Amino acid sequence: MRDLLIRYLLGELDGPERTQLEAQLDTSPELRRELAYLQACLPAEPKPPAADEPPPDLASRTLERITCGGCDPADEDHLALVAAVDPPASSARWSMADLTAAAGMFLAVSMLFLPAVRQSRDATRRVECANNLRQLGTLLIQYSDDHGGFFPVVGREQNAGIFAVHLVHESYVSPQELQQLLVCRSSDLGERVATGQDTVRLPCRKSLNSACAKQLAEMRRTMSGSYAYRIGYVDGDRYFAIRNERSPHAPLLADSPSYLMANLQSANHGGCGQNVLRQDGSGPYLKASVVLGPTGEDQIFLNHNEDPEAGHGKFDAVLVRSDATPGLVPPNSVP
């Protein structure tokens, strides 16, 4: 009878057997107690999950397995070993071809970018240089207003840079300010000043009078810094100083000429041209050292005889560098 009850609990009885046993259970209390005992002894059967409902932690467990390469996420030793032996595929690995391509791209960008940077720097320095000349021109005009219309005079035996000494001596500007205004950053002197290799020397008149020949030559070399100043002109046997006529044709200051370049072109801006300041305050940048004067074209660094000396006549304007005199150019001077 117990075998029949067990089969009943397991659902193995057919229809007639099941009906007959259930009729006996209704009339026999002992049989019902035996059934209850057997039911308590049998393990409960787990309820299978629904076919359309996956386990709730399936997604998280799957991701963990993928992340750790199929290992147990809790196995930290194994994870460390995997990381050490087989680094992630996302680690940066540059092949020679990658490096070559990157270098070629960098070179191409540099060829486009660096010239633009240099042109911008050169343009900025040309503007700074032109501003220097305008400020110097303002000082010279103030001087002329106080001296009968004449700019600082460069005597026959004096160097052109003496105009800077006049401006400081008569308190039109401080030595420190003038030293800055006299330097074009695109000149060789400007590079040497920036690196501490040179300086603009603005001696007083007493120092000039007491200096020996070597000291005087060194003072004259940088007295007007990076710029050229207009010296006087000769008419017959007489030497004349320059009067301020506020002429739009008469140059007064310019970037200093170089004796190593054709037509004494200035080397201040890479030999490409020079800033020029006229008496009326205008300041063009000229690619050639020639201006249009009242009588035609005029070479601003040479007189009509093509010498860097005093002009021949009122309209022959000549600008010379700091150490030059109206009568000659020092033969052993440094370009």
Side-chain angles (χ1 to χ4, degrees), residues 42-62:
L42 291 175
E45 183 178 356
K47 182 180 179 180
D52 57 347
E53 294 180 6
D57 59 341
L58 177 62
S60 60
R61 286 191 290 109
T62 303

Side-chain angles (χ1 to χ4, degrees), residues 3 15 18 30 42 49 69 84 121 126 131 139 146 150 177 221 227-228 255 280 308 315 324:
D3 293 338
R18 184 181 186 85
E30 294 182 2
L42 291 175
R121 182 199 65 182
R126 282 200 303 270
N131 289 336
L139 296 173
D146 296 335
F150 286 94
E177 183 180 359
R221 183 179 64 84
Y227 301 117
D255 282 297
D280 67 342
F315 299 110

Side-chain angles (χ1 to χ4, degrees), residues 94 96-108:
W94 288 74
M96 184 58 67
D98 294 331
L99 293 174
T100 303
M105 184 177 296
F106 178 77
L107 179 61

